[in-house]
Amino acid sequence: MNAHEFRRRGKEMVDYVADYLEGVEGRQVYPDVEPGYLRPLLPTAAPQEPETFEDIIKDVEKIIMPGVTHWHSPYFFAYFPTASSYPAMLADMLCGAIGCIGFSWAASPACTELETVMMDWLGKMLQLPAVFLAGEAGEGGGVIQGSASEATLVALLAARTKVTRRLQAASPGLTQATIMEKLVAYASDQAHSSVERAGLIGGVKLKAIPSDGKFAMRASALQEALERDKAEGLIPFFVVATLGTTSCCSFDNLLEVGPICREEDVWLHVDAAYAGSAFICPEFRHLLNGVEYAESFNFNPHKWLLVNFDCSAMWVKKRTDLTGAFKLDPVYLKHSHQDSGLITDYRHWQLPLGRRFRSLKMWFVFRMYGVKGLQAYIRKHVQLSHEFEALVHQDPRFEICAEVTLGLVCFRLKGSNRLNEALLERINSARKIHLVPCHLRDQFVLRFAICSRTVESAHVQLAWEHIRGLATDLLGAQKEEKGEIKT
């Protein structure tokens, strides 16, 4: 494919993408395929001779689209949003064209410097304490990770290195193995599974702190766990506080937990993967109060801030905490400016060596929407979630299971877990909308997340009528079964 054909096919692809997104509402939101559906539709080996672009596009509709879950459908209410916008897609095209691998400043100066500036822009939008910003001479700064899972792992590994070096400096005879077997990390019992996974990869114990009636981690429970473990000779070193838990969007109490972490000299990492985007709105900024106690903070613009995956924003108070843990300098990666103090080499802030020019899509989105446009987008989703909450309250057969703060509503039919499992099965089997569940304590709960960029009140209303209708059918079928049993 030469430049002439690329221009032609590129325009066709833009038209295809625009048509797809404009028409996604008409596609079945959840695919009706069985595992292994795709292999019989493809040849057993790659073609020896080139094939045409037309044939490939035909096969996209014939082979790929039947197996796609349409995350950007206005009838997709599962998981959390995955951000998408035309400015971000255009920036991704440019990123792919430039194709730099920005492991160091010298590898592509603009790739490094734009990321540093964009992370400062975003930090200011969130009103993060200045200590988290790079500025012109700050000790902190931001980095784009691939996901919140990566950010948690990077923070845990940096904290592990920091505490190990501190303890060995105080007691030179201590071995790393001796310290490692005593290290303990903590998170709420509502924290994402990626936190537990970080503990596994990091080779440290992770303990779950029981959450309160609002599914939040509180100071008393954390303090009790820390005292118990210290009495047993263990070394608390890392706490993850979650703002906007996956199950029900609950918020750990930073203003309580933070001072304990500071007093105990424990690294506090704040995971706000979904909820963090909302903090650009003044009315939700209070949910971030207490972040000043954290050593690191992360959220995902690729969830709710119109920046396509992958773009997970992480800030640290002291960037040397990361570079001290991950810095290796083979001669083939060195360059003449690396010790100038004016720039950063992001390979020292992350797990992989290579990185894409991801800050381009932040730059495009922030400029083309503006802060006010992004705030309006967040507010619309929150308004729609409260609209759905009100609809649920109007039907006495249903109940709300957790406080609705942002764009997630947790609800269920009053009754057994089995009943709600059956309802979810009917909802997803019908494939008109898509939901996923969670467990809150011992209850099986349905999650209704406002996700799509194009979702409107009419979609929420239709979704609720569909759910109500299926609930009526289910309850009617159960009554008939009971009647047959009595007969």
Side-chain angles (χ1 to χ4, degrees), residues 52-248:
T52 66
F53 185 79
E54 287 89 350
D55 285 342
I56 295 170
I57 289 297
K58 286 177 186 176
D59 282 346
V60 168
E61 281 296 332
K62 179 182 174 184
I63 297 171
I64 303 302
M65 285 300 178
V68 170
T69 299
H70 298 287
W71 281 63
H72 300 294
S73 166
Y75 296 114
F76 182 91
F77 301 104
Y79 311 107
F80 276 128
T82 178
S84 174
S85 68
Y86 292 119
M89 283 184 250
L90 291 173
D92 259 346
M93 287 176 64
L94 180 57
C95 171
I98 293 173
C100 62
I101 310 299
F103 49 78
S104 71
W105 179 87
S108 192
C111 180
T112 292
E113 296 198 17
L114 184 63
E115 182 163 336
T116 303
V117 175
M118 287 304 99
M119 292 299 292
D120 276 1
W121 276 20
L122 185 53
K124 290 175 182 177
M125 287 161 62
L126 297 166
Q127 297 179 48
L128 279 182
V131 69
F132 284 105
L133 306 182
E136 293 185 5
E139 294 183 358
V143 57
I144 301 174
Q145 304 286 2
S147 66
S149 303
E150 281 182 45
T152 300
L153 177 58
V154 164
L156 181 143
L157 295 176
R160 190 186 74 180
T161 299
K162 187 175 183 179
V163 71
T164 299
R165 289 175 179 170
R166 185 180 77 223
L167 292 171
Q168 286 182 323
S171 303
L174 272 179
T175 65
Q176 184 173 349
T178 301
I179 296 170
M180 281 281 292
E181 67 183 13
K182 294 183 178 181
L183 292 179
V184 189
Y186 306 85
S188 162
D189 58 13
Q190 299 298 311
H192 192 269
S193 59
S194 61
V195 179
E196 183 177 1
R197 193 163 184 261
L200 288 172
I201 297 171
V204 299
K205 301 177 186 69
L206 177 75
K207 296 194 175 182
I209 304 300
S211 54
D212 69 5
K214 290 190 174 182
F215 307 102
M217 178 166 62
R218 302 297 297 273
S220 57
L222 176 62
Q223 187 76 66
E224 183 182 335
L226 293 174
E227 295 300 333
R228 183 172 57 248
D229 288 344
K230 286 192 298 180
E232 293 178 6
L234 299 175
I235 306 170
F237 81 106
F238 186 70
V239 171
V240 177
T242 306
L243 301 182
T245 58
T246 302
S247 293
C248 64

